[in-house]
Structures are given as structure tokens and as C-alpha cells.
Coordinates of all heavy atoms in Angstrom, one line a residue:
D1 N 40.0 14.0 34.2 CA 40.8 15.2 34.4 C 42.0 15.3 33.4 O 42.8 16.2 33.5 CB 41.3 15.2 35.8 CG 42.2 14.1 36.2 OD1 42.4 13.1 35.5 OD2 42.7 14.1 37.4
G2 N 42.1 14.3 32.5 CA 43.1 14.4 31.4 C 44.5 14.0 31.9 O 45.5 14.2 31.2
V3 N 44.7 13.3 33.0 CA 46.0 12.9 33.5 C 46.1 11.4 33.1 O 45.2 10.6 33.2 CB 46.1 13.0 35.0 CG1 47.4 12.4 35.5 CG2 45.9 14.5 35.4
V4 N 47.4 11.0 32.7 CA 47.7 9.7 32.3 C 48.3 9.0 33.5 O 49.2 9.5 34.1 CB 48.6 9.6 31.1 CG1 49.0 8.2 30.8 CG2 48.0 10.3 29.9
Y5 N 47.8 7.8 33.8 CA 48.4 7.0 34.9 C 49.0 5.7 34.2 O 48.4 5.2 33.3 CB 47.3 6.5 35.9 CG 46.9 7.7 36.8 CD1 45.9 8.6 36.3 CD2 47.4 7.8 38.0 CE1 45.5 9.6 37.1 CE2 47.0 8.8 38.9 CZ 46.0 9.7 38.4 OH 45.6 10.8 39.2
T6 N 50.1 5.3 34.7 CA 50.7 4.1 34.1 C 51.1 3.1 35.3 O 51.3 3.5 36.4 CB 52.0 4.4 33.3 OG1 52.9 5.1 34.1 CG2 51.6 5.2 32.1
F7 N 51.2 1.8 34.9 CA 51.7 0.8 35.8 C 52.1 -0.4 35.0 O 51.8 -0.5 33.8 CB 50.5 0.4 36.8 CG 49.2 0.1 36.1 CD1 48.9 -1.2 35.8 CD2 48.3 1.1 35.8 CE1 47.7 -1.5 35.2 CE2 47.1 0.9 35.2 CZ 46.8 -0.4 34.9
G8 N 52.8 -1.3 35.6 CA 53.2 -2.5 34.9 C 54.7 -2.5 34.7 O 55.5 -2.0 35.5
R9 N 55.2 -3.1 33.7 CA 56.6 -3.3 33.4 C 57.1 -2.0 32.7 O 56.5 -1.6 31.7 CB 56.9 -4.5 32.6 CG 58.4 -4.8 32.5 CD 58.7 -6.1 32.0 NE 60.1 -6.3 31.9 CZ 60.7 -7.4 31.6 NH1 60.0 -8.5 31.4 NH2 62.0 -7.5 31.6
G10 N 58.2 -1.4 33.1 CA 58.8 -0.2 32.5 C 60.2 -0.3 32.2 O 60.9 0.7 32.3
N11 N 60.7 -1.4 31.7 CA 62.1 -1.6 31.5 C 62.7 -0.8 30.4 O 63.9 -0.6 30.4 CB 62.4 -3.1 31.2 CG 61.5 -3.7 30.1 OD1 60.4 -3.3 29.9 ND2 62.1 -4.5 29.3
F12 N 61.9 -0.1 29.6 CA 62.5 0.8 28.6 C 62.0 2.2 28.8 O 62.2 3.0 27.9 CB 62.1 0.3 27.1 CG 62.8 -0.9 26.7 CD1 62.2 -2.2 26.9 CD2 64.1 -0.9 26.2 CE1 62.9 -3.3 26.5 CE2 64.8 -2.0 25.8 CZ 64.2 -3.2 25.9
G13 N 61.4 2.5 29.9 CA 60.9 3.8 30.2 C 59.5 4.0 29.7 O 59.0 5.1 29.7
Q14 N 58.8 3.0 29.2 CA 57.5 3.1 28.6 C 56.4 3.5 29.5 O 55.3 3.8 29.1 CB 57.1 1.8 27.8 CG 56.9 0.6 28.7 CD 58.2 -0.3 28.8 OE1 59.3 0.2 29.0 NE2 58.0 -1.6 28.7
L15 N 56.7 3.6 30.8 CA 55.7 4.1 31.8 C 55.8 5.6 31.9 O 54.8 6.2 32.5 CB 55.9 3.4 33.1 CG 55.8 1.9 33.2 CD1 56.0 1.4 34.6 CD2 54.4 1.4 32.6
G16 N 56.8 6.2 31.4 CA 57.0 7.6 31.5 C 57.2 8.2 32.9 O 56.9 9.4 33.1
L17 N 57.7 7.4 33.8 CA 57.9 7.8 35.2 C 59.3 8.4 35.4 O 59.7 8.6 36.6 CB 57.6 6.7 36.1 CG 56.1 6.1 36.0 CD1 56.0 4.9 36.9 CD2 55.1 7.2 36.3
G18 N 60.1 8.5 34.4 CA 61.4 9.1 34.6 C 62.5 8.2 34.8 O 63.7 8.5 35.0
T19 N 62.2 6.9 34.8 CA 63.2 5.9 35.1 C 62.9 4.6 34.3 O 61.8 4.4 33.9 CB 63.3 5.6 36.6 OG1 64.4 4.7 36.8 CG2 62.0 5.0 37.1
T20 N 63.9 3.7 34.2 CA 63.7 2.4 33.6 C 63.7 1.4 34.8 O 64.4 1.6 35.7 CB 64.7 2.0 32.6 OG1 66.0 2.1 33.2 CG2 64.7 2.9 31.4
M21 N 62.8 0.5 34.7 CA 62.7 -0.5 35.8 C 63.2 -1.8 35.2 O 62.5 -2.6 34.6 CB 61.3 -0.7 36.2 CG 60.6 0.6 36.7 SD 58.9 0.5 37.0 CE 58.9 -0.7 38.4
L22 N 64.5 -2.1 35.5 CA 65.1 -3.3 35.0 C 64.7 -4.6 35.7 O 64.7 -5.7 35.2 CB 66.7 -3.2 35.0 CG 67.2 -2.0 34.2 CD1 68.7 -2.0 34.3 CD2 66.8 -2.2 32.7
T23 N 64.2 -4.4 37.0 CA 63.7 -5.5 37.7 C 62.4 -5.1 38.3 O 62.2 -4.0 38.7 CB 64.6 -6.0 38.8 OG1 64.9 -4.9 39.7 CG2 66.0 -6.5 38.2
G24 N 61.4 -6.0 38.4 CA 60.2 -5.7 39.1 C 59.3 -4.9 38.2 O 59.5 -4.7 37.0
S25 N 58.2 -4.5 38.7 CA 57.1 -3.8 38.0 C 56.5 -2.7 38.9 O 56.6 -2.8 40.1 CB 56.0 -4.7 37.5 OG 56.5 -5.7 36.7
Q26 N 55.9 -1.7 38.2 CA 55.1 -0.7 39.0 C 53.8 -1.3 39.2 O 53.0 -1.4 38.3 CB 55.0 0.6 38.1 CG 54.2 1.7 38.8 CD 54.8 2.2 40.1 OE1 56.0 2.4 40.2 NE2 54.0 2.4 41.0
L27 N 53.5 -1.6 40.5 CA 52.3 -2.4 40.8 C 51.1 -1.5 41.1 O 49.9 -1.9 41.1 CB 52.5 -3.3 42.0 CG 53.7 -4.3 41.8 CD1 53.9 -5.2 43.0 CD2 53.3 -5.2 40.6
I28 N 51.3 -0.2 41.4 CA 50.3 0.7 41.7 C 50.3 1.8 40.7 O 51.3 2.4 40.3 CB 50.5 1.3 43.1 CG1 50.5 0.2 44.2 CG2 49.4 2.4 43.4 CD1 50.9 0.7 45.5
P29 N 49.1 2.2 40.1 CA 49.1 3.3 39.1 C 49.7 4.6 39.6 O 49.4 5.0 40.8 CB 47.6 3.4 38.8 CG 47.0 2.1 39.1 CD 47.8 1.6 40.3
R30 N 50.6 5.2 38.8 CA 51.2 6.5 39.1 C 50.9 7.5 38.0 O 51.0 7.1 36.8 CB 52.7 6.3 39.4 CG 53.0 5.6 40.7 CD 54.4 5.5 41.0 NE 55.1 6.8 40.8 CZ 56.4 6.9 40.6 NH1 57.2 5.9 40.6 NH2 57.0 8.1 40.5
P31 N 50.7 8.7 38.3 CA 50.5 9.7 37.2 C 51.8 10.0 36.5 O 52.9 10.1 37.1 CB 50.0 11.0 38.0 CG 50.6 10.8 39.4 CD 50.6 9.3 39.6
V32 N 51.7 10.2 35.2 CA 52.9 10.5 34.4 C 53.0 12.1 34.5 O 52.1 12.8 34.3 CB 52.6 10.1 32.9 CG1 53.7 10.7 32.0 CG2 52.5 8.6 32.8
V33 N 54.2 12.5 34.8 CA 54.5 13.9 35.0 C 55.3 14.4 33.8 O 56.1 13.7 33.2 CB 55.3 14.2 36.3 CG1 55.7 15.6 36.5 CG2 54.6 13.6 37.5
G34 N 55.0 15.7 33.4 CA 55.8 16.3 32.3 C 54.9 16.6 31.1 O 55.5 17.2 30.1
I35 N 53.7 16.3 31.1 CA 52.8 16.7 30.0 C 51.9 17.8 30.6 O 51.1 17.6 31.5 CB 51.9 15.5 29.5 CG1 52.8 14.4 29.0 CG2 51.0 16.0 28.4 CD1 52.1 13.1 28.6
D36 N 52.1 19.0 30.1 CA 51.4 20.2 30.7 C 50.0 20.5 30.2 O 49.5 21.6 30.4 CB 52.3 21.4 30.5 CG 52.7 21.7 29.1 OD1 52.3 20.9 28.2 OD2 53.3 22.8 28.9
R37 N 49.5 19.6 29.4 CA 48.1 19.8 28.9 C 47.2 18.6 29.2 O 47.7 17.6 29.6 CB 48.2 20.0 27.4 CG 49.0 21.1 26.9 CD 48.4 22.4 27.2 NE 47.1 22.5 26.5 CZ 46.5 23.7 26.2 NH1 47.1 24.8 26.5 NH2 45.3 23.7 25.7
K38 N 45.9 18.8 29.0 CA 45.0 17.7 29.2 C 45.2 16.6 28.1 O 45.3 16.9 26.9 CB 43.6 18.2 29.1 CG 42.5 17.2 29.3 CD 41.1 17.8 29.2 CE 40.0 16.8 29.4 NZ 38.7 17.4 29.4
C39 N 45.3 15.4 28.5 CA 45.6 14.2 27.6 C 44.3 13.7 27.1 O 43.4 13.4 27.9 CB 46.4 13.2 28.3 SG 48.0 13.8 28.8
L40 N 44.1 13.5 25.8 CA 42.9 13.0 25.2 C 43.0 11.6 24.8 O 42.0 10.8 24.9 CB 42.5 13.9 24.0 CG 42.2 15.3 24.3 CD1 41.8 16.1 23.0 CD2 41.1 15.5 25.4
F41 N 44.1 11.2 24.2 CA 44.3 9.8 23.6 C 45.6 9.3 24.1 O 46.6 10.0 24.1 CB 44.2 9.9 22.1 CG 43.0 10.5 21.6 CD1 43.0 11.8 21.1 CD2 41.8 9.8 21.5 CE1 41.9 12.4 20.6 CE2 40.7 10.4 21.0 CZ 40.7 11.7 20.6
V42 N 45.6 8.0 24.3 CA 46.9 7.3 24.7 C 46.9 6.0 23.9 O 45.9 5.3 23.7 CB 46.9 6.9 26.2 CG1 48.2 6.1 26.5 CG2 46.8 8.2 27.0
A43 N 48.1 5.7 23.3 CA 48.3 4.4 22.6 C 49.6 3.8 23.2 O 50.6 4.5 23.4 CB 48.5 4.6 21.1
C44 N 49.5 2.5 23.5 CA 50.6 1.8 24.2 C 51.1 0.6 23.3 O 50.3 -0.2 22.9 CB 50.2 1.3 25.5 SG 49.7 2.5 26.7
G45 N 52.4 0.6 23.0 CA 53.0 -0.6 22.3 C 53.7 -1.4 23.4 O 53.6 -1.2 24.6
W46 N 54.3 -2.4 22.9 CA 55.0 -3.3 23.8 C 56.1 -2.6 24.6 O 56.3 -2.8 25.8 CB 55.7 -4.5 23.0 CG 56.2 -5.6 23.8 CD1 57.5 -5.8 24.1 CD2 55.4 -6.6 24.5 NE1 57.6 -7.0 24.9 CE2 56.3 -7.5 25.1 CE3 54.1 -6.9 24.6 CZ2 55.9 -8.6 25.9 CZ3 53.7 -8.0 25.3 CH2 54.6 -8.8 25.9
Y47 N 56.8 -1.6 23.9 CA 57.9 -0.9 24.6 C 57.8 0.6 24.5 O 58.8 1.3 24.8 CB 59.3 -1.4 24.0 CG 59.6 -2.8 24.1 CD1 59.8 -3.6 23.0 CD2 59.7 -3.4 25.4 CE1 60.1 -5.0 23.2 CE2 60.0 -4.7 25.6 CZ 60.2 -5.5 24.5 OH 60.5 -6.8 24.6
H48 N 56.7 1.1 24.1 CA 56.6 2.6 24.0 C 55.2 3.0 24.2 O 54.2 2.2 24.1 CB 57.1 3.1 22.7 CG 56.3 2.8 21.5 ND1 56.1 1.5 21.0 CD2 55.5 3.5 20.7 CE1 55.3 1.5 20.0 NE2 54.9 2.7 19.8
T49 N 55.0 4.3 24.5 CA 53.7 4.9 24.7 C 53.6 6.3 24.0 O 54.6 7.0 23.9 CB 53.5 5.2 26.2 OG1 53.6 3.9 26.9 CG2 52.1 5.7 26.5
A50 N 52.5 6.6 23.4 CA 52.3 7.9 22.8 C 51.0 8.5 23.3 O 50.0 7.8 23.6 CB 52.1 7.7 21.3
V51 N 51.0 9.8 23.5 CA 49.9 10.6 24.1 C 49.6 11.8 23.2 O 50.5 12.5 22.8 CB 50.3 11.0 25.5 CG1 49.1 11.9 26.1 CG2 50.6 9.9 26.4
V52 N 48.3 12.0 23.0 CA 47.9 13.2 22.2 C 47.2 14.1 23.2 O 46.3 13.7 24.0 CB 46.9 12.9 21.1 CG1 46.4 14.1 20.4 CG2 47.6 11.9 20.1
T53 N 47.5 15.4 23.2 CA 46.9 16.4 24.2 C 45.8 17.1 23.5 O 45.6 17.0 22.3 CB 48.0 17.4 24.7 OG1 48.4 18.2 23.6 CG2 49.2 16.7 25.3
D54 N 45.1 17.9 24.3 CA 43.9 18.6 23.8 C 44.3 19.7 22.8 O 43.5 20.2 22.1 CB 43.2 19.2 25.0 CG 44.0 20.2 25.8 OD1 45.2 20.3 25.7 OD2 43.4 21.0 26.6
E55 N 45.6 20.1 22.8 CA 46.0 21.1 21.8 C 46.6 20.4 20.5 O 47.1 21.1 19.6 CB 47.0 22.1 22.4 CG 48.3 21.5 22.7 CD 49.3 22.4 23.3 OE1 49.0 23.6 23.3 OE2 50.4 22.0 23.6
G56 N 46.6 19.1 20.5 CA 47.1 18.4 19.3 C 48.6 18.0 19.4 O 49.2 17.6 18.4
S57 N 49.3 18.3 20.5 CA 50.7 17.9 20.6 C 50.8 16.4 20.9 O 49.9 15.8 21.5 CB 51.3 18.6 21.8 OG 51.4 20.0 21.6
V58 N 51.9 15.8 20.5 CA 52.1 14.4 20.7 C 53.3 14.2 21.6 O 54.4 14.8 21.3 CB 52.3 13.6 19.4 CG1 52.7 12.1 19.6 CG2 51.1 13.7 18.5
Y59 N 53.2 13.4 22.6 CA 54.3 13.1 23.5 C 54.6 11.6 23.4 O 53.6 10.8 23.4 CB 54.0 13.5 25.0 CG 54.0 15.0 25.2 CD1 52.9 15.7 24.9 CD2 55.1 15.6 25.8 CE1 52.8 17.1 25.1 CE2 55.0 17.0 26.0 CZ 53.9 17.7 25.7 OH 53.9 19.1 25.9
T60 N 55.8 11.2 23.4 CA 56.2 9.8 23.4 C 57.2 9.5 24.4 O 58.0 10.3 24.9 CB 56.7 9.3 22.0 OG1 57.8 10.1 21.7 CG2 55.6 9.5 20.9
F61 N 57.2 8.2 24.9 CA 58.3 7.8 25.8 C 58.4 6.2 25.7 O 57.5 5.6 25.3 CB 58.0 8.2 27.2 CG 56.5 8.1 27.7 CD1 56.1 7.1 28.4 CD2 55.7 9.2 27.4 CE1 54.7 7.0 28.8 CE2 54.3 9.2 27.8 CZ 53.9 8.1 28.5
G62 N 59.6 5.8 26.1 CA 59.9 4.3 26.0 C 61.0 4.1 25.1 O 61.9 4.9 25.0
A63 N 61.0 2.9 24.5 CA 62.1 2.5 23.6 C 62.1 3.2 22.3 O 61.1 3.3 21.6 CB 62.1 1.0 23.3
G64 N 63.2 3.8 21.9 CA 63.3 4.6 20.7 C 63.9 3.8 19.5 O 64.0 4.4 18.4
E65 N 64.1 2.6 19.6 CA 64.7 1.7 18.6 C 63.8 1.9 17.3 O 62.6 2.0 17.4 CB 64.7 0.3 19.0 CG 65.4 -0.7 18.1 CD 65.4 -2.1 18.6 OE1 64.4 -2.5 19.3 OE2 66.4 -2.8 18.4
Y66 N 64.5 2.0 16.2 CA 63.9 2.1 14.8 C 63.2 3.5 14.7 O 62.4 3.6 13.8 CB 62.9 1.0 14.5 CG 63.4 -0.4 14.7 CD1 62.9 -1.2 15.7 CD2 64.5 -0.9 13.9 CE1 63.5 -2.5 15.9 CE2 65.0 -2.1 14.1 CZ 64.5 -2.9 15.1 OH 65.0 -4.2 15.3
G67 N 63.4 4.4 15.6 CA 62.8 5.7 15.5 C 61.4 5.8 15.9 O 60.6 6.7 15.6
R68 N 60.9 4.7 16.6 CA 59.5 4.6 16.9 C 58.9 5.7 17.7 O 57.7 5.9 17.8 CB 59.2 3.3 17.6 CG 59.6 3.2 19.0 CD 59.3 1.8 19.6 NE 60.5 0.9 19.3 CZ 60.4 -0.4 19.4 NH1 59.4 -1.0 19.8 NH2 61.5 -1.1 19.1
L69 N 59.8 6.6 18.4 CA 59.2 7.7 19.2 C 59.1 8.9 18.4 O 58.4 9.9 18.9 CB 60.2 7.9 20.4 CG 60.3 6.7 21.4 CD1 61.2 7.1 22.5 CD2 58.9 6.3 21.9
G70 N 59.7 9.0 17.2 CA 59.5 10.2 16.4 C 60.4 11.4 16.7 O 60.1 12.5 16.3
H71 N 61.5 11.1 17.4 CA 62.4 12.2 17.8 C 63.6 12.3 16.9 O 64.5 13.1 17.2 CB 62.8 12.1 19.3 CG 61.7 12.1 20.2 ND1 60.8 13.1 20.4 CD2 61.2 11.1 21.0 CE1 59.9 12.8 21.2 NE2 60.1 11.6 21.6
G72 N 63.7 11.6 15.8 CA 64.8 11.7 14.9 C 66.0 10.9 15.3 O 67.1 11.2 14.8
D73 N 65.9 10.1 16.3 CA 67.0 9.2 16.8 C 66.5 7.9 17.2 O 65.3 7.6 17.0 CB 67.8 9.9 17.9 CG 66.9 10.3 19.1 OD1 65.9 9.6 19.3 OD2 67.3 11.1 19.9
E74 N 67.3 7.1 17.8 CA 66.9 5.8 18.4 C 67.1 5.7 19.9 O 67.1 4.7 20.5 CB 67.6 4.7 17.7 CG 67.3 4.6 16.2 CD 67.8 3.3 15.6 OE1 67.7 2.2 16.2 OE2 68.2 3.4 14.4
A75 N 67.1 6.9 20.5 CA 67.3 7.0 22.0 C 66.1 6.6 22.7 O 65.0 6.9 22.3 CB 67.8 8.3 22.4
N76 N 66.2 5.9 23.9 CA 65.1 5.7 24.8 C 64.8 6.9 25.6 O 65.7 7.7 25.9 CB 65.4 4.6 25.7 CG 65.7 3.2 25.0 OD1 65.4 3.1 23.9 ND2 66.2 2.3 25.8
H77 N 63.5 7.1 25.9 CA 63.1 8.3 26.7 C 62.2 7.8 27.8 O 61.2 7.2 27.6 CB 62.3 9.3 25.8 CG 63.1 10.0 24.8 ND1 63.7 11.2 25.0 CD2 63.5 9.6 23.6 CE1 64.3 11.6 24.0 NE2 64.3 10.6 23.1
A78 N 62.7 8.0 29.1 CA 62.0 7.5 30.2 C 60.9 8.5 30.8 O 60.2 8.2 31.7 CB 62.9 7.1 31.3
Q79 N 60.8 9.6 30.1 CA 59.8 10.6 30.5 C 59.2 11.2 29.2 O 59.8 11.1 28.2 CB 60.4 11.7 31.4 CG 61.5 12.5 30.9 CD 62.2 13.3 31.9 OE1 62.4 12.8 33.0 NE2 62.5 14.5 31.6
P80 N 58.0 11.7 29.3 CA 57.4 12.2 28.1 C 58.2 13.3 27.4 O 58.7 14.2 28.0 CB 56.1 12.9 28.6 CG 55.8 12.2 29.9 CD 57.2 11.9 30.5
T81 N 58.3 13.1 26.1 CA 59.1 14.1 25.3 C 58.2 14.5 24.1 O 57.7 13.6 23.4 CB 60.4 13.5 24.8 OG1 61.2 13.0 25.9 CG2 61.2 14.5 24.0
R82 N 58.0 15.8 23.9 CA 57.1 16.2 22.8 C 57.8 15.9 21.5 O 59.0 16.2 21.3 CB 56.9 17.7 23.0 CG 55.9 18.3 22.0 CD 55.6 19.8 22.4 NE 54.7 20.3 21.4 CZ 55.1 20.9 20.3 NH1 56.4 21.0 20.0 NH2 54.2 21.4 19.4
V83 N 57.0 15.4 20.5 CA 57.5 15.2 19.2 C 57.4 16.5 18.4 O 56.3 17.0 18.2 CB 56.6 14.1 18.5 CG1 57.1 13.9 17.1 CG2 56.6 12.8 19.3
A84 N 58.6 17.0 18.1 CA 58.7 18.4 17.6 C 58.1 18.5 16.1 O 57.5 19.6 15.8 CB 60.1 18.8 17.6
N85 N 58.2 17.6 15.3 CA 57.9 17.7 13.9 C 56.4 17.6 13.6 O 56.0 17.8 12.5 CB 58.7 16.7 13.0 CG 60.1 17.0 13.0 OD1 60.5 18.2 13.2 ND2 60.9 16.0 12.8
I86 N 55.6 17.4 14.6 CA 54.2 17.3 14.4 C 53.5 18.6 14.6 O 52.5 18.9 13.9 CB 53.5 16.2 15.3 CG1 54.0 14.8 14.8 CG2 52.0 16.2 15.2 CD1 53.5 13.7 15.6
G87 N 54.0 19.4 15.5 CA 53.3 20.7 15.8 C 52.0 20.5 16.6 O 51.8 19.4 17.1
N88 N 51.2 21.5 16.6 CA 49.9 21.4 17.3 C 48.8 21.3 16.2 O 48.6 22.2 15.5 CB 49.7 22.6 18.2 CG 50.7 22.7 19.3 OD1 51.3 21.7 19.6 ND2 50.8 23.8 19.9
S89 N 48.2 20.2 16.2 CA 47.1 19.9 15.2 C 45.9 19.5 16.0 O 45.8 18.4 16.5 CB 47.5 18.9 14.2 OG 46.4 18.6 13.4
K90 N 44.9 20.3 15.9 CA 43.6 20.0 16.5 C 42.9 18.8 15.8 O 42.0 18.2 16.3 CB 42.6 21.2 16.5 CG 43.1 22.3 17.4 CD 42.6 22.1 18.8 CE 42.9 23.4 19.6 NZ 42.4 23.3 20.9
H91 N 43.4 18.5 14.6 CA 42.8 17.4 13.9 C 43.4 16.0 14.2 O 42.9 15.0 13.7 CB 42.9 17.7 12.4 CG 42.3 19.0 12.0 ND1 41.0 19.2 11.9 CD2 42.9 20.2 11.7 CE1 40.7 20.5 11.6 NE2 41.9 21.1 11.4
L92 N 44.5 16.0 14.9 CA 45.2 14.7 15.2 C 44.4 14.1 16.3 O 44.2 14.6 17.4 CB 46.6 15.0 15.7 CG 47.4 13.8 16.0 CD1 47.7 13.0 14.8 CD2 48.8 14.2 16.6
T93 N 43.9 12.9 16.1 CA 43.0 12.2 17.0 C 43.4 10.8 17.4 O 42.8 10.2 18.2 CB 41.5 12.1 16.5 OG1 41.5 11.4 15.3 CG2 41.0 13.5 16.4
L94 N 44.5 10.3 16.7 CA 44.9 8.9 17.0 C 46.4 8.7 16.7 O 46.9 9.2 15.8 CB 44.1 8.0 16.1 CG 44.3 6.5 16.3 CD1 43.8 6.1 17.6 CD2 43.5 5.7 15.2
V95 N 47.0 7.9 17.6 CA 48.4 7.5 17.5 C 48.4 6.0 17.7 O 47.5 5.5 18.3 CB 49.3 8.3 18.4 CG1 49.4 9.7 18.1 CG2 48.9 8.1 19.9
A96 N 49.5 5.4 17.2 CA 49.6 4.0 17.4 C 51.1 3.6 17.6 O 51.9 4.3 17.3 CB 49.0 3.2 16.2

């Protein structure tokens, strides 16, 4: 159905659940809210996550250190945030 579910450790917001989990872990899969399109591809790093939608938009969340989220800053994002400079590209099929 194109919905992303996350679980595990979310200390930098990399689960996209709107909060950081400084202690404990998300033990049960929960749907990520805030992406209004069908999700086709997901890539997860140690501290961040990237999602590509069916219209070619990219959403990222988690640790923003070194600009890894693509938002032009180093801020952490605990919920999905659309990467503005990519636009909608039907040809985008992979993120890392």
C-alpha cells in the first residue's frame, strides 16, 4: 500500500515518528505519518532515512549532520521533510 513502517532505535529522529527516542527503542512497527504519496523506495543509514515517492519526491528524516538530509542545513528532523531542491522526478529510483 506504499506506507513506510519503522521500528528500532530513533535517537536522532531517524524513525520519522515525530520525536527522538533518547532511551529505549520502538519495539513495534509504526507507520510514518507526513508523506502524502505512495512510497516506492526507502534507504536507511545509521542515523537517517530517505524515502522516494511515486511522483519522484524525496523525503528525509533523522540526523542532519554534514547536510546528509539535503535541506541546506545540519538540523535534525524527527518527521519526514520534503527535499526541496530535487523537485518531482519520475526518473529518480534510488537514494542512499
Side-chain angles (χ1 to χ4, degrees):
D1 61 356
V3 176
V4 175
Y5 288 82
T6 59
F7 51 94
R9 187 167 181 174
N11 54 324
F12 290 95
Q14 65 267 43
L15 298 181
L17 301 176
T19 185
T20 57
M21 301 174 67
L22 298 179
T23 60
S25 299
Q26 177 63 43
L27 302 177
I28 300 170
R30 288 186 47 201
V32 174
V33 178
I35 302 174
D36 58 352
R37 300 290 301 204
K38 182 178 181 180
C39 300
L40 299 179
F41 304 101
V42 179
C44 302
W46 192 257
Y47 297 121
H48 70 291
T49 304
V51 176
V52 177
T53 67
D54 62 346
E55 67 177 357
S57 293
V58 176
Y59 290 81
T60 60
F61 40 96
E65 188 177 33
Y66 309 114
R68 74 181 85 195
L69 298 180
H71 301 297
D73 59 21
E74 293 191 39
N76 296 347
H77 292 263
Q79 57 192 44
T81 304
R82 189 174 174 271
V83 179
N85 292 336
I86 292 179
N88 294 342
S89 173
K90 293 275 188 176
H91 304 287
L92 184 64
T93 59
L94 184 64
V95 293

